[in-house]
Amino acid sequence: MASSLESAWEFLITHFSEFQLASIGTFLLHETVFFVSGFPSLLLERLGLFSNYKIQKKSNTPDYQNRCVVRLVLYHVCVNLPLMILSYRTFKFMGLRSTLPLPHWTVVVSQVLFFFVLEDFIFYWGHRALHTKWLYQHVHSVHHEYATPFGLTSEYAHPAEILFLGFATVAGPALTGPHLFTLWVWMVLRVLETVEAHSGYHFPWSPSNFLPLYGGAEFHDYHHRVLYTKSGNYSSTFIYMDWLFGTDKDYRKAKAIEEKVWKHL
């Protein structure tokens, strides 16, 4: 497995420059993972499938869904792609490399775990700041146009927010100067996590049922469906920051009431 992976990587670095892989390659990988993982919840909502696992009973209209997709393509091409191209020099300066051999799996795992922890910390405070009155009205309200989220709404946001909260995602890699392979692993996992958190569905196999402290769709869906001043649940992946600072209290109360109702029924 390792040898075949290194052979595939050798093909990439032989046929493409590091700049091409780190910018265009990263963009194409991101777009593929994002849209492939994000479209299923859009289709489930549109077709009314697995409705018993849908967190909210409301659904977005096809026109509203299409509007999201069109704007996402525009934001990604006009904001994300230029950022990836322009940031290559910075990452290179911080130690980014693409040469063989690939980093040992223990290095990849430890760095990705560090990225998740650091991203959670930075994202929490940035996201909480976006819920102050002025920033919410002028920036973050764009993301909350979809009170009933589906996977693709995870990256539907004001360009200023993309820049603002995007810092949380790149902070870890910028500090450690990882191998490009590690950066790709981190990006794929982060995209899959945020798409799942915005999916609008809670399945028996959802990660939050198995991973301790993982937020998931139920946790984040609450954040979308209540008034912005009372939403809480600001964390991105794990819930420990909200627990530490008490910004998940309303969610816990609502969850306890819901469980009591279900138990009574």
Side-chain angles (χ1 to χ4, degrees), residues 147-208:
T148 305
F150 55 93
L152 294 177
T153 61
S154 58
E155 295 193 4
Y156 180 86
H158 191 288
E161 180 175 339
I162 295 172
L163 295 172
F164 187 56
L165 289 184
F167 174 74
T169 303
V170 302
L175 286 174
T176 59
H179 195 281
L180 181 59
F181 176 77
T182 307
L183 184 65
W184 282 2
V185 171
W186 159 238
M187 183 186 67
V188 168
L189 291 177
R190 180 69 181 96
V191 168
L192 292 176
E193 179 277 320
T194 192
V195 166
E196 193 276 330
H198 288 81
S199 68
Y201 289 82
H202 183 73
F203 297 106
W205 55 86
S206 293
S208 56

Side-chain angles (χ1 to χ4, degrees), residues 92-141:
K92 187 66 179 174
F93 175 76
M94 299 303 288
L96 180 73
R97 62 198 183 283
S98 60
T99 54
L100 286 171
L102 293 175
H104 193 268
W105 70 266
T106 55
V107 175
V108 176
V109 170
S110 60
Q111 287 190 338
V112 169
L113 284 175
F114 170 69
F115 298 163
F116 267 115
V117 172
L118 183 61
E119 196 271 347
D120 253 329
F121 178 81
I122 298 173
F123 185 97
Y124 174 85
W125 292 111
H127 191 190
R128 191 168 174 177
L130 285 171
H131 276 262
T132 54
K133 187 176 181 179
W134 192 92
L135 284 174
Y136 184 87
Q137 289 179 348
H138 294 88
V139 179
H140 195 48
S141 58

